[in-house]
């Protein structure tokens, strides 16, 4: 048994397709299939049920998959620890980012990261907070940019990156659209939010004193769709400050909140991560790339985390 065979085993289990797994592993399908046959012969078991239409794990395959993943994770830890002893700013950094941050922050930092730390390669994964933290805990991610505080008593830690104010987004003809500032409570009656699982939705509900069960039927899976619903007159919402510029001119009115509510964006990682220098480098680039009003000393004006 060798590590490459285990990688092929995990790849086929995840992709449920030999061709896609081979492509992901950058080998030919016959090579991958042959190596898996050798692994099955050596173990004396059949790992996959193969038909023309699908590939499925056998019961013993399901039992062995977790062991294979854990073995590969341990090997990656050995490799990353060895690399860290050389140059911690060289090599891949697997970074998860939540969807309400990634499209607006990453364009600001990817270029400066490449220029400042050319040896560091960012491998980006965009997902909701829950899945990102699970991937981080199982060492499939090295760090994650999130917008909620971590629970106590975990193996994870976080540092605050910046405070992001919320803005009210209203239809152009809304009764409050011409106000200089809007109260969060003013949005409660016709508030629309992102679908369940998005931390921004929970934050908006907390800020506006609204329960999800009393919302309208409109719930979006992306911030872009949410703003389009607002522009069409279906309701109001809150958007993070960093996302404001791309939405200007979209038939919406953006107004600051008189409540001065914000959220704190954090960089989460494992306490045991062997390359803390890489995380500090990422943190430095993010702070330098942000607009001046967000590059504060992390003042917390009526932070939504405190309200929650």
């Amino acid at each position: 048994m060798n590590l490459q065979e285990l990688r092929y085993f995990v790849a086929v289990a995840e992709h449920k397709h030999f061709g896609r797994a081979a492509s992901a592993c950058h080998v030919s399908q016959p090579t991958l299939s042959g190596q898996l046959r050798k692994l099955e012969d050596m173990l004396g078991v059949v790992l996959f049920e193969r038909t023309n239409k699908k590939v499925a794990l056998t019961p013993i395959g399901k039992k062995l998959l977790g062991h294979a993943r854990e073995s590969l994770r341990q090997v990656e830890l050995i490799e990353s620890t060895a690399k860290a002893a050389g140059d911690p700013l060289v090599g891949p950094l697997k970074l998860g980012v939540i969807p309400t941050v990634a499209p607006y922050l990453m364009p600001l930092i990817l270029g400066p990261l490449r220029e400042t730390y050319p040896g560091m390669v960012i491998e980006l994964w965009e997902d909701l907070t829950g899945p990102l933290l699970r991937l981080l805990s199982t060492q499939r991610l090295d760090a994650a940019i999130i917008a909620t505080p971590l629970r106590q008593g975990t193996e994870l830690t976080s540092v605050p990156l910046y405070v992001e104010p919320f803005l009210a987004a209203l239809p152009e003809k809304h009764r409050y659209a011409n106000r200089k500032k809007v109260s969060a409570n003013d949005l409660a009656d016709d508030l629309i939010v992102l679908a369940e699982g998005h931390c921004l939705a929970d934050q908006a509900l907390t800020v506006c004193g609204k329960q999800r069960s009393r919302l309208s039927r409109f719930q979006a899976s992306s911030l872009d769709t949410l703003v389009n619903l607002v522009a069409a007159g279906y309701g109001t919402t809150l958007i993070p400050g960093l996302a404001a510029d791309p939405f200007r001119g979209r038939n919406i009115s953006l107004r600051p909140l008189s409540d001065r509510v914000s959220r704190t964006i954090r960089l989460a990682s494992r306490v045991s991560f062997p390359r803390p220098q890489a995380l500090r480098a990422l943190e430095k680039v993010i702070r330098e790339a942000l607009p001046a009003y967000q590059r504060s000393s992390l003042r917390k004006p009526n932070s939504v985390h405190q309200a929650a």
Side-chain angles (χ1 to χ4, degrees):
M1 183 190 308
N2 59 54
L3 292 175
Q4 199 63 357
E5 291 169 350
L6 292 182
R7 291 190 179 99
Y8 294 159
F9 170 39
V10 171
V12 174
E14 291 179 347
H15 290 276
K16 296 181 175 61
H17 189 279
F18 277 83
R20 290 194 291 270
S23 178
C25 294
H26 306 290
V27 296
S28 67
Q29 184 171 334
T31 297
L32 181 140
S33 298
Q35 290 295 310
L36 282 178
R37 291 287 188 189
K38 285 178 58 179
L39 179 61
E40 288 179 322
D41 290 343
M42 192 277 294
L43 294 174
V45 297
V46 176
L47 299 173
F48 296 100
E49 292 183 18
R50 304 163 173 84
T51 69
N52 292 332
K53 294 184 178 180
K54 66 177 182 178
V55 175
L57 283 165
T58 61
I60 186 60
K62 292 178 181 178
K63 290 183 179 180
L64 294 178
L65 179 60
H67 296 299
R69 283 175 169 160
E70 180 59 28
S71 297
L72 293 175
R73 282 196 290 269
Q74 292 300 321
V75 170
E76 287 182 2
L77 184 58
I78 292 171
E79 291 174 345
S80 63
T81 302
K83 288 180 181 178
D87 188 346
L89 301 180
V90 173
L93 184 70
K94 293 174 284 187
L95 178 66
V97 190
I98 58 174
T100 57
V101 169
Y104 316 107
L105 177 63
M106 300 315 293
L108 299 178
I109 68 170
L110 288 178
L113 269 171
R114 178 174 289 181
E115 292 175 6
T116 309
Y117 305 103
M120 186 188 303
V121 179
I122 297 295
E123 297 181 0
L124 189 63
W125 186 279
E126 183 178 323
D127 210 331
L128 302 180
T129 305
L132 290 183
L133 294 181
R134 287 192 290 273
L135 291 171
L136 187 57
S137 295
T138 56
Q139 300 179 3
R140 297 175 69 183
L141 287 177
D142 299 323
I145 296 177
I146 60 176
T148 52
L150 296 173
R151 293 180 179 177
Q152 297 293 327
T154 70
E155 61 179 0
L156 304 181
T157 185
S158 70
V159 295
L161 293 173
Y162 59 94
V163 170
E164 185 171 37
F166 288 124
L167 296 175
L170 310 96
E172 285 187 327
K173 296 183 180 179
H174 194 276
R175 62 187 183 277
Y176 299 140
N178 293 323
R179 290 186 176 182
K180 289 184 178 180
K181 293 184 178 181
V182 177
S183 169
N185 290 334
D186 293 335
L187 308 181
D189 290 342
D190 53 0
L191 182 70
I192 54 177
V193 299
L194 292 171
E196 194 166 354
H198 287 269
C199 60
L200 180 60
D202 297 332
Q203 292 159 354
L205 291 169
T206 298
V207 167
C208 297
K210 192 80 171 179
Q211 295 181 4
R212 184 176 287 273
S213 60
R214 297 181 180 179
L215 289 175
S216 70
R217 65 184 181 278
F218 295 106
Q219 296 182 45
S221 61
S222 73
L223 199 54
D224 196 70
T225 300
L226 189 65
V227 170
N228 286 335
L229 287 171
V230 172
Y234 285 104
T236 63
T237 195
L238 295 181
I239 66 171
L242 198 61
D245 283 347
F247 294 131
R248 298 188 191 279
R250 289 258 199 120
N251 297 321
I252 64 171
S253 176
L254 294 176
R255 292 290 178 266
L257 291 172
S258 57
D259 318 72
R260 296 179 65 241
V261 183
S262 64
R263 66 178 184 174
T264 300
I265 306 302
R266 305 168 187 271
L267 180 64
S269 61
R270 292 184 304 280
V271 175
S272 60
F273 183 60
R275 296 166 60 201
Q277 300 92 331
L279 301 181
R280 301 293 77 79
L282 174 62
E283 180 184 343
K284 179 175 182 289
V285 169
I286 291 174
R287 291 181 183 277
E288 292 178 349
L290 290 172
Y293 78 94
Q294 290 175 314
R295 246 186 1 247
S296 66
S297 58
L298 289 172
R299 296 185 299 270
K300 296 183 180 180
N302 296 339
S303 169
V304 70
H305 301 322
Q306 291 174 339

